[in-house]
Amino acid sequence: MKRDIYLLILLALFLASCHPLFCVWEMGFNKVEKLNSADVIGKYVLTPHSKKMMQYEGKYQNITNNILELKGDKTYRLIDAPDWLLNDLGNSNMAYFDKTGRWSFDCNELGCILELEGLQTGELLFKKNDKIFILLGIGDPDSCQGMVYEKK
C-alpha cells in the first residue's frame, strides 16, 4: 500500500514537471567534481555531433570551426558561434556571432561552476574519457538541447 502511494506520488511529480529526468545530449558525460582553474584554460572546438545538430535542427549552412577559448587572463573568446545560443527559445536565425567576456570557475562541496559572462553559468564543465568538455544549453533547459565543445 505504501509502495503504491509512493509510486503514485513519483508519477505525479514526473508528469507535473516540464523537465525530463535526463537529456539525451548530456548522456555519457560526468560532472566535474574538482579541477584546478589552470586545467580549464585552453581552446575548445565544437564536436562533429554538435555540428550535425546545427545543420539538421537549426538549418545552419557553411558551418565553420566554432571555437571557445578560455584564456589565462580570465577572459574568453567565442568565435563563429550559432545565434541560437543567445535566443531564449533556442530559435535559429542561421547566423553566427563572436563574443568576448570574462570567465570564472569555482569548485566546492556541491561541485564545480563555470561562468561565461554574458553567455551561460552553471555546471557547464564535464569529463568523458579523461577529456574536458563544455556543454552549452540551447534555449529553455526543458527543451533538452545543447552543444558540446571539446578541449583540444
Side-chain angles (χ1 to χ4, degrees), residues 34-135:
K34 188 167 177 101
L35 197 64
N36 295 322
S37 251
D39 295 327
V40 178
I41 295 169
K43 192 175 283 190
Y44 296 77
V45 297
L46 201 58
T47 63
H49 182 267
S50 291
K51 287 180 181 181
K52 285 180 186 175
M53 189 192 64
M54 283 174 59
Q55 182 180 8
Y56 295 112
E57 297 288 329
K59 308 292 186 231
Y60 288 95
Q61 303 293 316
N62 305 317
I63 299 169
T64 63
N65 290 328
N66 305 166
I67 296 171
L68 172 59
E69 185 176 9
L70 302 183
K71 299 179 184 181
D73 65 357
K74 297 291 185 174
T75 61
Y76 75 87
R77 184 174 66 146
L78 187 58
I79 301 168
D80 290 334
D83 63 343
W84 64 6
L85 284 174
L86 297 177
N87 185 290
D88 289 340
L89 298 175
N91 294 331
S92 164
N93 291 314
M94 296 165 277
Y96 299 94
F97 71 96
D98 294 345
K99 185 168 187 60
T100 58
R102 299 202 52 76
W103 67 273
S104 64
F105 178 72
D106 184 47
C107 292
N108 60 35
E109 63 276 353
L110 300 175
C112 297
I113 300 293
L114 174 65
E115 177 180 5
L116 301 172
E117 179 185 74
L119 191 62
Q120 292 187 23
T121 301
E123 293 178 333
L124 307 176
L125 204 63
F126 289 80
K127 280 188 152 187
K128 182 178 183 179
N129 300 328
D130 293 324
K131 293 182 180 181
I132 298 174
F133 296 85
I134 295 177
L135 279 61

Side-chain angles (χ1 to χ4, degrees), residues 6-22:
Y6 178 72
L7 289 174
L8 283 174
I9 291 171
L10 281 176
L11 180 61
L13 288 172
F14 176 74
L15 293 174
S17 171
C18 294
H19 197 290
L21 294 175
F22 63 90

